[in-house]
Amino acid sequence: MGRAVDPTNPEHLAAPLRLALAYAPAADRPAYAAIFALDTRLSRIGSQASEPIIAQMKLAWWRDQFARNFDAWPRGEPLLQELVRLGLERAHLSALVDGWEALFAAETIGPQTLADFATGRAAGWLAVAGKLHNGCEQEELLAAGRLWALADIADRLPGDALASTWDVEGSDIASIDPAAFRSLRPLAVLAALALRAHRLGKPLLSGPASLGLAMRVGIFGR
């Protein structure tokens, strides 16, 4: 479905994801790269589809694959083959699809739509943590993942809908500490950038200060 993308090549990723991926240990990099590639592929389905129903049909194809055993997945799709090789949790991959569908299928973008989107997209963080057998708390990962998911698309959303969603997320945001994810360094970088973006009302990457923050967290984990 769509143009095949080499999941090991970061060139197709958005700048914040490329930057975060640079701080992944070599042994862990494939898991991050695959999830970032899948998230990017799903995001482009909606932005490139002429009608919501077209986006839903394409997303349904991915969901159908994730509902099947790995050995039943079609060959010839590099990203699917990489996901098979890595053995990432299929339930988390399916939840990631659900998150993007919640956004693309909505007639109007309100707080519940954004909450469903953010929760589904955050499942990608759980897939990486599960693959790397990381000890981070699931609720902490989900809270940070939801914040990143919303901060990443904030400049494309109605202000009133996003503001009310931030109110719902408020207690979770206050408890997010990027240092808790120092063993998942790319996720720590994205969490730190998302906290800054939310606090200042700016994009994830906005000037030298954001790059300095990413470098500090990427190197030191906090």
Side-chain angles (χ1 to χ4, degrees):
M1 299 293 290
R3 182 172 59 86
V5 171
D6 177 0
T8 65
N9 183 354
E11 292 304 313
H12 65 285
L13 300 177
L17 295 181
R18 291 200 307 272
L19 181 60
L21 187 61
Y23 294 103
D28 299 344
R29 184 183 176 95
Y32 292 105
I35 283 296
F36 290 171
L38 176 60
D39 182 74
T40 299
R41 181 79 72 86
L42 298 175
S43 74
R44 289 177 177 171
I45 286 175
S47 62
Q48 296 173 354
S50 57
E51 297 289 341
I53 188 63
I54 301 299
Q56 288 180 271
M57 290 172 61
K58 292 184 176 182
L59 289 170
W61 184 88
W62 286 94
R63 185 186 298 104
D64 288 346
Q65 307 316 312
F66 299 146
R68 305 159 70 190
N69 292 329
F70 288 132
D71 57 8
W73 288 6
R75 302 181 185 277
E77 165 54 70
L79 181 50
L80 276 181
Q81 292 305 303
E82 181 68 356
L83 294 171
V84 168
R85 187 184 72 81
L86 292 167
L88 296 174
E89 174 59 52
R90 289 180 295 138
H92 296 325
L93 302 181
S94 184
L96 181 54
V97 177
D98 291 342
W100 281 108
E101 184 174 36
L103 185 67
F104 296 148
E107 294 184 4
T108 58
I109 299 178
Q112 187 58 55
T113 294
L114 292 178
D116 292 342
F117 160 73
T119 298
R121 198 177 183 198
W125 293 45
L126 299 182
V128 172
K131 169 63 180 178
L132 302 181
H133 304 291
N134 182 269
C136 292
E137 292 292 331
Q138 178 169 309
E139 287 307 312
E140 291 181 344
L141 278 169
L142 284 173
R146 286 192 295 264
L147 174 63
W148 162 73
L150 293 169
D152 182 52
I153 64 167
D155 59 350
R156 292 178 272 165
L157 297 174
D160 54 345
L162 185 60
S164 57
T165 303
W166 286 139
D167 290 341
V168 173
E169 294 283 327
S171 59
D172 281 349
I173 293 172
S175 67
I176 293 171
D177 178 9
F181 316 122
R182 65 177 62 190
S183 60
L184 297 170
R185 204 58 60 92
L187 302 187
V189 169
L190 291 174
L193 290 175
L195 280 169
R196 178 182 183 275
H198 172 253
R199 185 177 71 252
L200 300 179
K202 293 184 176 182
L204 288 176
L205 290 180
S206 54
S210 61
L211 292 174
L213 173 64
M215 181 178 296
R216 190 193 78 216
V217 175
I219 295 173
F220 301 108
R222 56 184 304 161

